[in-house]
Amino acid sequence: AVVSTQSTGYKVTVSHGQQRYLVSFENCPSPTSEELAEKIQALTAVPISQQKLIHKGKQVPIGPTELRDLNVKPGSKLMLLGRQYNPEHEEIDKFIRKIKADAEKISQRLEELNSQLLGIRNGHLPDDLHPEALAKIHKQCVGSVEESMKLLEKLDSLQISDEHLRKQKKNVIIQIKKLLDDCDKLMEKL
């Protein structure tokens, strides 16, 4: 389906998914890529910050540069990459990113615990302090497992219809499962 704005002036065709948009500029010999992006946002609901315009295999920078200077001539065809703004999806995205950041903190903590254990094994701690230090590492490892399980529970509670967000969720779940495996390996060393 082709959706048309105006019928005269500088025209380009923009395809987004299965949709094609004929974007026209009245009385404008050479609009800027920023002006094009604004029109595209009005037509597609894809925010300018989420837009990637592709012309002849190259990304068109969005800004004050005229389309002619970017080699986008009247009648050119461009492809739009980007997702429509959806406040619900934005909230889910932020939630998943927060969980991922929490998982990365746990990963850093596990690296520190592995380093401490290696230091103990290499004799950097007097023998009489080993039991206390190992007990502390064990306790922190158990805490990391519990935190990881809570993160998995939070992710499990999400009902997601968007394919991109489902993939993002799956990748974080894989990351957390790797953390749990790392915790198991660390506990075996104790």
Side-chain angles (χ1 to χ4, degrees), residues 102-144:
D102 291 346
E104 287 169 357
K105 287 178 187 174
I106 294 170
S107 177
Q108 289 172 351
R109 188 177 325 128
L110 288 175
E111 286 177 24
E112 290 173 20
L113 293 174
N114 263 316
S115 177
Q116 289 174 17
L117 184 60
L118 185 63
I120 292 169
R121 295 270 158 86
N122 289 336
H124 298 291
L125 188 69
D127 290 345
D128 60 324
L129 298 177
H130 282 199
E132 183 181 333
L134 293 174
K136 184 178 176 184
I137 291 174
H138 183 270
K139 182 178 179 180
Q140 289 180 343
C141 195
V142 168
S144 296

Side-chain angles (χ1 to χ4, degrees), residues 27 30 34 38 64 66 70 81 129 153 173 183:
N27 303 319
S30 185
E34 192 169 45
E38 289 168 1
E66 290 185 356
L70 296 169
L81 302 176
L129 298 177
E153 287 173 8
I173 288 171
C183 283

Side-chain angles (χ1 to χ4, degrees), residues 76-181:
S76 292
K77 295 179 182 176
L78 295 105
M79 180 172 57
L80 169 65
L81 302 176
R83 295 185 311 154
Q84 294 178 335
Y85 177 72
N86 183 325
E88 181 183 323
H89 289 178
E90 291 295 317
E91 287 302 314
I92 292 171
D93 181 62
K94 284 181 187 176
F95 186 74
I96 293 172
R97 287 177 191 265
K98 168 79 171 88
I99 291 174
K100 182 178 182 178
D102 291 346
E104 287 169 357
K105 287 178 187 174
I106 294 170
S107 177
Q108 289 172 351
R109 188 177 325 128
L110 288 175
E111 286 177 24
E112 290 173 20
L113 293 174
N114 263 316
S115 177
Q116 289 174 17
L117 184 60
L118 185 63
I120 292 169
R121 295 270 158 86
N122 289 336
H124 298 291
L125 188 69
D127 290 345
D128 60 324
L129 298 177
H130 282 199
E132 183 181 333
L134 293 174
K136 184 178 176 184
I137 291 174
H138 183 270
K139 182 178 179 180
Q140 289 180 343
C141 195
V142 168
S144 296
V145 168
E146 289 172 1
E147 280 184 67
S148 297
M149 294 303 290
K150 286 179 184 175
L151 294 179
L152 282 175
E153 287 173 8
K154 287 179 182 179
L155 285 171
D156 191 47
S157 70
L158 289 177
Q159 300 299 320
I160 302 173
S161 59
D162 182 72
E163 182 65 28
H164 172 74
L165 291 174
R166 278 202 309 266
K167 285 180 183 176
Q168 191 176 346
K169 174 184 168 182
K170 182 179 179 182
N171 289 337
V172 175
I173 288 171
I174 290 168
Q175 179 184 1
I176 294 171
K177 286 182 177 180
K178 183 185 178 310
L179 285 177
L180 290 170
D181 289 343

